[in-house]
Amino acid sequence: MSDIPKEIVRARVAMGFDHPFFGFLSLTLEPVAKPDMKPPTMATDGLHLFYHPDFIKNTPIAQIQGVIAHEILHIVLKHIPRRLNREPKRWNVSADLAENPIILREVQLPTGCLNDPQYYDKSAEYIYSNLPIAKDGDYGGTLDSHEEWKNWGKKDDKGQGKENDIVTGK
């Protein structure tokens, strides 16, 4: 725990007081530095809260809280297993467009996060079905890395699945 940046510790503690739903659930994810993450941001695989150290150093704590909440909602809303055989980048954008308005009711997100009023209160599946297909594959920047999603549901060398029930931690 001592190698976790104090900004992450402060963000999670403050979330416990100001946003208890996200604060409690943030404590179930193990923070792991990932300096090779591109772009420098945060991510989850359902068990870990991956972070790029430069992102943490250069982002205000209120926005770090927002990104942590973003990662939590990916797990709570089961965005990772719900992707099924959908095109990954388009699904990631759809998932972000579904959850970011929920987060923005509670906490801040960094400037430029995906947020479009036409998709408010819509599911990721609905958004995916109605999101125009980008000719160049670029839907704009997502807030986090979704690289960690590729192993979701696969078994590790001990036969354990990668998915996590964020409430129980099992």
Side-chain angles (χ1 to χ4, degrees):
M1 185 94 163
S2 61
D3 59 342
I4 301 170
K6 62 185 172 204
E7 293 86 353
I8 291 180
V9 173
R10 273 192 244 152
R12 294 192 323 171
V13 169
M15 288 174 81
F17 290 105
D18 300 333
H19 311 286
F21 174 79
F22 292 118
F24 169 76
L25 294 177
S26 76
L27 298 176
T28 68
L29 298 173
E30 178 186 349
V32 176
K34 195 167 181 184
D36 60 340
M37 185 183 301
K38 296 206 186 329
T41 186
M42 297 177 85
T44 190
D45 63 357
L47 298 170
H48 304 94
L49 179 65
F50 298 107
Y51 63 90
H52 191 292
D54 290 342
F55 178 80
I56 299 302
K57 279 191 267 181
N58 298 319
T59 304
I61 290 206
Q63 292 178 8
I64 292 171
Q65 289 179 333
V67 180
I68 292 171
H70 179 92
E71 300 310 325
I72 289 167
L73 278 188
H74 277 315
I75 300 166
V76 170
L77 296 173
K78 306 274 187 204
H79 284 154
I80 303 168
R82 282 172 47 203
R83 184 178 79 200
L84 303 173
N85 63 351
R86 294 179 178 93
E87 193 279 309
K89 187 158 189 170
R90 189 168 166 210
W91 176 255
N92 296 342
V93 168
S94 300
D96 286 0
L97 285 166
E99 73 179 46
N100 286 346
I102 297 167
I103 295 162
L104 288 167
R105 293 178 192 150
E106 294 285 324
V107 291
Q108 291 181 29
L109 287 172
T111 304
C113 73
L114 293 170
N115 187 25
D116 187 336
Q118 72 177 312
Y119 298 122
Y120 285 9
D121 299 319
K122 304 293 185 207
S123 70
E125 288 84 358
Y126 174 89
I127 296 168
Y128 184 91
S129 295
N130 290 280
L131 189 67
I133 297 172
K135 291 181 182 143
D136 59 2
D138 185 13
Y139 291 92
T142 59
L143 183 61
D144 55 348
S145 169
H146 296 116
E147 181 66 23
E148 290 69 21
W149 293 15
K150 67 183 175 189
N151 292 321
W152 185 266
K154 295 183 180 170
K155 303 290 183 191
D156 64 14
D157 58 351
K158 295 178 183 149
Q160 301 295 310
K162 297 287 186 177
E163 59 275 344
N164 176 23
D165 179 334
I166 195 165
V167 175
T168 65
K170 297 178 185 171

